Amino acid sequence: MSAFTSPYHSAIQSSESATPIMSSETVTSTTTPAATPAATTTTTTAVNLEQVAYFLVTGASRGIGAKMAIETARKFKAGSVVVLLARSASGLESTRAEILAVNPHVTVVTSSVDLATASKELLNEILDKSLGKQPTDRFGLACVIHNVGTVGNIGRKATDLDDRTEWEQYFGTNVFTVAVLNSCFLRKFQSVPGKLAINITSKACLVPFQSMTYYCAGKAAREMYFRVLAEEEAAAGVTVLNYSPGPVDTDMTVDLQANSNAPEIRDYFKGLRDTTTILTTDQTTAKFLHILQNGLFKSGDHVDYYDH
């Protein structure tokens, strides 16, 4: 291991059986006269996936997005609608086939779209077409996983990133369209009793990583958007999870290992692969579902793979 200190390093060395840092529920008690038993109100963020759901996943053609789409859709009841967005049409078809193999009772709709430039009108059109003539109130759960994400230019330092167009393109994909899609989604499904927005985030939104200026800045802006959303929409029945999946064996980490301008970053990911301590998409998806179904998070909070 090089001198580079990863925020994951100490967690990787520790046992995953450690006590969760967040409780699965919040309990409040109201003081009453002695003759009357105390009234207790319990709220939980636990999500029941075994119902008729509308489920949308971005970046669903490969990696974490594909695995989360498959394993979450496995649990839905017949009549659910699964919508997969990404640029790769062939990748989306592969994910679609795997979903139908594990749950043939759902409808899977794919849309090849470049989220860097997708307009509000296009996103609303995708939602409308996926629904057809179905009323939104037939769903018990409306869930969106904002998984789409790119690492950006990792070959240059922060001081060298002076191309405004490149900045706008990066934030267009990773922040702007995410926020626009989320608004379209929640507006469309406001009548659904259970509304869930999941942001796939990263430790990079909390800790600076050399060579990853775009990624760190984009993840920080994106997570704060979802934290504000959680505060504003709690009364409207919207639950928000910012899930940080840990260092996962994906094309993105392969790119970082090969092309980062920081030797410490390259050595870190090489070390994870050499010691087989890098996570798999199966591992992080299983942890994600455990956290979600057991309510091991407070709406809006940042929850890392290694927290539970």
Side-chain angles (χ1 to χ4, degrees), residues 3 7 11 24 27 56 65 79 105 112 164 177 183 187 207 213 218 233 264:
S24 62
V27 180
L56 186 151
H105 307 294
S112 176
R164 184 183 181 90
T177 303
S183 294
R187 191 174 296 119
V207 179
T213 305
E233 300 301 323
E264 295 91 343

Side-chain angles (χ1 to χ4, degrees), residues 8 11-12 14-16 18 244 246-247 277 279 287 304-308:
Y8 294 115
I12 291 172
S14 64
S15 167
E16 292 180 23
S244 177
T277 51
L279 300 173
K287 182 67 69 71
D304 190 272
Y305 174 93
Y306 293 106
D307 288 344
H308 297 282

Side-chain angles (χ1 to χ4, degrees), residues 170-181:
Y170 185 83
F171 269 71
T173 301
N174 293 277
V175 182
F176 302 157
T177 303
V178 171
V180 173
L181 172 60

